Amino acid sequence: MEIIDSGLSPTDRLHIGDCLVVLSSREVHAPGARRPARLTPKAIGVLLVLARGAGDVVTRDELFAQVWPDTLPTNDVLTQAVTQLRKALSAGGAFQQGQEYIETIAKTGYRLLAPVTWAAAQAAADAGQAEAAGSALAEGDASAAPVPASPADAGSRGSTGFWRRARRRLLLAAGLLLLCSSVTMAWLLWQRPERETALDAATADGKGVIGSPERPYRLITARQGFGTFPALSPDGALVAYADESDGGSTLKVQSTGSATSATLVEAPAGALDRFPAWSPDGREIAYARFHPGGGCEVLVIGATGGNPRRVTACDGAEMLSFNWTPDGRGLVFGSMTGHHGAPGIRTLDLATGRWTTLEYDRGDGDFDYAPRFSPDGRQLGFVRNPQLGGLWVMAAAGGGARRITSDSAEMRGWGWLDNEAIVFGRRVDSESRLYQVDLRTGLLKDLGVDDAQSPSVAGMGKVLAFVHRAPQFGLFRIPLDHPERKERLFASSGRDAQPMIAPDGQQLVFTSSRSGAFALWWARLGQDGSLHPVEDLRPEARQSPDWSADSERVLVSGRDDAGRPGIYEVAPEQGQWKRLSIPLSEPLQAVYGPSPDTFFVIGSQAGGPATLALYDSGGGAWRRLAQVAGVSQVRYDRRAQRVLFTRLAGGGLWSADASLSPASLREVSEDVPTRWRFRTWALGGDGAVAYLHQDAGCSVQLSRLDAPQAPRCLEARASSATNGFSMAPDGSAAYMALTVADGTDIGVMPVPQAPSQALLGVLKWLPLLGKPDS
């Protein structure tokens, strides 16, 4: 059976048997149906492919290749599309399964049985008659039509050329008009919100439920355990990642399909292999190996395994980051601490072992992390100060660097989508999400992927891989003398975090998604009925709240309805709050100072570096009295009247007097807190500084930073949240968030397209609307 050839590209209407399909509105008008059925764009695509080969078997692979190009769909999405087509075509008829329209060919594909006719067939016949008349006129056939008057008979030849040119112009104009109409339709389809498309897929024509909306991704390591640091091969066919399921870290490689993984290399006992990175030609993988005792080395191994070769040492390095140079002859490293470190971005030539430092704009306290070259090798991107930083881009050879993202955020990995767009993960509320940013406009787009981080993009492919982690955190009180007697507070199925006990030891505030929305909650201990959220306040998860000395108010970082950051003073028991008029474009954290009108505030102005400042708000005029640059976290010790803080430039803990005088700056701890755990320290009522970290055999270990003391293991297995905990005023217990359920998987999805790319992707459907292949 063949499609009736119209001779022209058809309109957006075609007949499938007795049904009329309108492509622009995605509607199927079936005889006897009370109303037209609405199809999803994918179902329309399947119908067009089947119509093009009506009467012939179309395999599933052909349908996947044409309707879901450059993606990794499952069989379910095709089955749902065919089910929707059958239901729409048979609506109101005797055959409710639609088998008389679309036949299933077992283990092969589908075949469209009904005749297919474009509604433009009659228009084509009319066009043919008009063309014949035009030809007769051009040849001077008096029986067909009168010939325009001309000065001489010799002018008939010029008249013939004129009409032929006019006819060609007319046909060209008609073709351009049709193309413009098709482009407009494609653009409108692309502009439809993603949410509407997903709901269409779930509910079809509103009469019944087909299934849940499609996720834009699928998981390829769905099992218990931890898959981290994914890296896609250049062609997008393989993903290398670190399997940290058994307390170690082993590099594995597997297909981006749901295949069984294979171990790439066996690490020595006690060693951890992490950070795999594919060479541009896909033949080798660079990675880092961390040995017990602090030893570190960067190795390169063949993509199929074998014996790795060492390319450099990285002993003592914290927040190590590297990737390949575009020519595959070297590695580019971010700022590196330790014995072999350097403050800025460098390249390492693998053949000679020679280091080359890039000359570019960088402040003394800046830490530039995860450098990556763009696909064309002309640009170099990196994350500056990932604890509270943003994305930066510069020329591949260095020079001036410009900031791409505007707000300070906890960055969770990034990758190039193409030469003009970047995908990155960042913490927001109680999760990490993926965002796309356009380098030309700076505009952000949420990719609609929950609990995602560490994105990796195939250099030559069109696949995005990422880590999917959806842990559940609960609040616990852990007595320091008997950690095994820990007590769960306020049962919840959400994510509870940042428990901050009040100085009176009777109240607790914390952030949680327990109600479905991320909010600040308050409760009086021992009175579960007192638990309630602070309504209409949107807290930030990156910094912990701070109680006033009288236990009546709390300072909370948050955002307004427009997304602008701010500091809010909250009376949590009453559920009241107000935004403080701190004169900063981006205030990040605030704690109460030595008097009711003084505050210590971390923030930045006009995209500058984060600075700790002492403010006096007396009389409503916020006056800056002193400041310290490059600070990431602050606490005020009322007992000793000192300020404690961590810095962006390195690990460790610092102190200053209450006036932040430069002469009073002291280093309390040299190495810890580390940059990654810069929020996992707290002050006790007695001024003791507690620090949470991990150790072999103990997931949550507590140490004191201000005095020598043997560490205590508070929890052997469940890990703690890294964004804040508190100590009881008398020092008897710790209040913290522990994982109740945890694990990670590697997810894969199509690379999101820029608007121009998406439009071109839709335009390639235009041949399906034209003359079929013979």
Side-chain angles (χ1 to χ4, degrees):
M1 187 177 298
E2 62 178 296
I3 301 177
I4 296 177
D5 187 1
S6 70
L8 291 172
S9 294
T11 64
D12 68 337
R13 294 170 178 262
L14 72 157
H15 293 281
I16 307 290
D18 296 329
C19 298
L20 172 65
V21 180
V22 182
L23 299 178
S24 59
S25 61
R26 309 200 312 274
E27 291 180 344
V28 176
H29 298 261
R34 289 180 296 176
R35 59 178 179 175
R38 176 67 59 83
L39 299 176
T40 67
K42 294 301 186 185
I44 282 286
V46 171
L47 181 61
L48 287 172
V49 178
L50 293 175
R52 186 177 175 86
D56 298 328
V57 176
V58 182
T59 67
R60 285 178 170 267
D61 289 341
E62 290 178 82
L63 289 165
F64 283 140
Q66 296 194 56
V67 184
W68 288 270
D70 308 319
T71 65
L72 300 167
T74 62
N75 287 329
D76 292 342
V77 298
L78 177 55
T79 301
Q80 288 183 8
V82 172
T83 300
Q84 189 185 52
L85 287 174
R86 286 172 170 163
K87 181 178 180 181
L89 293 170
S90 63
F95 299 94
Q96 293 302 310
Q97 299 304 315
Q99 296 290 343
E100 78 280 14
Y101 284 97
I102 301 175
E103 179 185 9
T104 299
I105 308 301
K107 300 182 179 179
T108 303
Y110 301 94
R111 177 167 55 190
L112 183 62
L113 301 178
V116 178
T117 307
W118 288 104
Q122 184 60 44
D126 296 341
Q129 294 175 4
E131 183 175 351
S135 298
L137 286 171
E139 297 299 330
D141 187 351
S143 65
V147 180
S150 61
D153 292 341
S156 63
R157 295 181 182 178
S159 176
T160 299
F162 169 82
W163 283 104
R164 286 176 177 171
R165 290 192 298 272
R167 184 181 64 191
R168 286 196 295 267
R169 292 192 185 101
L170 180 62
L171 292 175
L172 177 60
L176 289 175
L177 180 60
L178 176 62
L179 177 62
C180 292
S181 299
S182 301
V183 169
T184 302
M185 182 177 72
W187 177 257
L188 291 174
L189 287 175
W190 178 81
Q191 286 287 345
R192 287 177 63 85
E194 190 69 27
R195 184 180 301 275
E196 183 175 353
T197 299
L199 292 178
D200 284 347
T203 60
D205 60 359
K207 295 180 180 179
V209 174
I210 291 178
S212 60
E214 293 180 41
R215 294 185 302 182
Y217 64 89
R218 62 187 177 87
L219 304 177
I220 62 173
T221 59
R223 55 182 171 75
Q224 289 187 341
F226 290 86
T228 60
F229 310 114
L232 281 167
S233 60
D235 60 3
L238 300 172
V239 60
Y241 64 95
D243 185 351
E244 302 186 1
S245 301
D246 301 319
S249 186
T250 303
L251 292 189
K252 293 188 175 181
V253 177
Q254 77 170 67
S255 164
T256 49
S258 300
T260 303
S261 61
T263 298
L264 176 66
V265 59
E266 294 287 351
L272 305 175
D273 288 347
R274 289 172 173 161
F275 310 141
W278 291 81
S279 62
D281 60 8
R283 296 181 178 180
E284 296 182 303
I285 297 175
Y287 64 98
R289 174 168 289 170
F290 299 90
H291 296 278
C296 173
E297 56 185 337
V298 177
L299 305 167
V300 172
I301 191 172
T304 57
N307 295 320
R309 71 181 191 275
R310 172 172 164 156
V311 297
T312 188
C314 47
D315 297 343
E318 182 198 352
M319 293 178 68
L320 178 67
S321 63
F322 57 87
N323 213 300
W324 290 81
T325 56
D327 59 10
R329 298 178 180 177
L331 299 175
V332 57
F333 284 76
S335 299
M336 187 190 298
T337 60
H339 308 302
H340 305 275
I345 297 175
R346 301 176 295 165
T347 59
L348 172 66
D349 185 275
L350 297 182
T352 64
R354 183 176 62 189
W355 291 91
T356 301
T357 300
L358 266 66
E359 298 294 333
Y360 65 100
D361 297 340
R362 187 183 65 84
D364 292 338
D366 288 330
F367 189 90
D368 295 336
Y369 184 73
R372 292 183 174 88
F373 288 97
S374 60
D376 62 7
R378 296 180 179 181
Q379 301 179 85
L380 181 63
F382 57 90
V383 176
R384 175 160 287 174
N385 303 323
Q387 311 100 308
L388 298 172
L391 281 165
W392 293 67
V393 170
M394 63 183 176
R402 65 187 179 99
R403 184 166 182 165
I404 302 302
T405 54
S406 59
D407 59 344
S408 299
E410 184 179 340
M411 306 299 290
R412 297 288 184 91
W414 76 281
W416 290 93
L417 286 174
D418 54 39
N419 297 313
E420 298 295 342
I422 283 173
V423 60
F424 64 95
R426 63 156 288 178
R427 185 183 181 90
V428 56
D429 294 341
S430 61
E431 63 175 334
S432 178
R433 299 184 63 85
L434 295 184
Y435 295 86
Q436 174 182 339
V437 59
D438 188 297
L439 301 191
R440 295 160 295 190
T441 64
L443 295 178
L444 291 177
K445 176 185 177 182
D446 190 314
L447 298 188
V449 184
D450 300 336
D451 300 303
Q453 56 188 302
S454 303
S456 172
V457 182
M460 296 188 299
K462 296 183 179 180
V463 181
L464 167 66
F466 60 92
V467 171
H468 182 269
R469 185 189 182 196
Q472 180 186 350
F473 285 93
L475 299 185
F476 291 84
R477 179 186 182 274
I478 304 180
L480 298 188
D481 54 350
H482 291 285
E484 71 280 1
R485 299 178 184 175
K486 65 178 180 290
E487 173 190 1
R488 176 80 182 266
L489 305 174
F490 316 122
S492 168
S493 59
R495 297 176 190 174
D496 300 341
Q498 300 175 304
M500 306 305 292
I501 188 72
D504 62 10
Q506 302 299 315
Q507 304 174 75
L508 192 76
V509 293
F510 60 95
T511 56
S512 177
S513 62
R514 60 177 49 223
S515 65
F518 190 68
L520 181 74
W521 290 71
W522 171 91
R524 191 169 294 278
L525 295 180
Q527 300 178 21
D528 289 355
S530 65
L531 181 65
H532 67 254
V534 177
E535 299 291 347
D536 300 324
L537 177 70
R538 300 176 58 184
E540 278 276 12
R542 57 188 173 188
Q543 300 286 10
S544 299
D546 182 65
W547 281 96
S548 61
D550 59 8
S551 300
E552 293 184 359
R553 294 159 293 144
V554 177
L555 292 177
V556 180
S557 60
R559 291 183 179 270
D560 62 15
D561 291 339
R564 293 183 294 263
I567 302 297
Y568 297 83
E569 188 170 42
V570 184
E573 185 171 8
Q574 293 77 28
Q576 300 173 349
W577 53 268
K578 66 178 180 180
R579 183 181 175 112
L580 300 182
S581 303
I582 300 175
L584 288 172
S585 60
E586 190 176 15
L588 303 174
Q589 185 197 9
V591 300
Y592 289 103
S595 66
D597 293 332
T598 55
F599 300 83
F600 294 102
V601 181
I602 296 176
S604 61
Q605 188 70 25
T611 298
L612 169 64
L614 172 62
Y615 281 97
D616 186 333
S617 64
W622 288 75
R623 295 180 296 112
R624 179 178 294 201
L625 306 179
Q627 67 180 36
V628 177
V631 175
S632 58
Q633 178 89 172
V634 64
R635 289 280 181 266
Y636 180 60
D637 181 0
R638 298 186 182 93
R639 179 176 174 274
Q641 295 187 340
R642 60 174 179 167
V643 182
L644 295 168
F645 57 91
T646 54
R647 314 196 78 157
L648 293 169
L653 186 68
W654 293 73
S655 72
D657 62 21
S659 64
L660 295 184
S661 63
S664 67
L665 265 64
R666 298 286 186 274
E667 189 176 55
V668 178
S669 173
E670 181 179 2
D671 299 320
V672 291
T674 65
R675 285 187 181 88
W676 282 134
R677 303 184 70 87
F678 71 101
R679 293 170 301 190
T680 57
W681 59 281
L683 277 169
D686 57 355
V689 184
Y691 175 60
L692 296 183
H693 56 102
Q694 293 178 307
D695 202 354
C698 182
S699 292
V700 183
Q701 187 162 266
L702 185 141
S703 299
R704 281 194 62 171
L705 299 184
D706 58 333
Q709 189 180 81
R712 303 181 184 184
C713 184
L714 302 186
E715 172 58 42
R717 296 187 176 183
S719 59
S720 66
T722 59
N723 60 338
F725 75 106
S726 60
M727 300 296 297
D730 59 3
S732 63
Y735 292 83
M736 65 183 64
L738 298 177
T739 54
V740 178
D742 202 3
T744 64
D745 295 303
I746 305 300
V748 294
M749 63 184 289
V751 168
Q753 292 182 324
S756 59
Q757 294 174 316
L759 181 57
L760 291 175
V762 175
L763 287 179
K764 68 183 180 181
W765 282 104
L766 293 181
L768 290 177
L769 300 176
K771 182 177 179 179
D773 297 332
S774 59

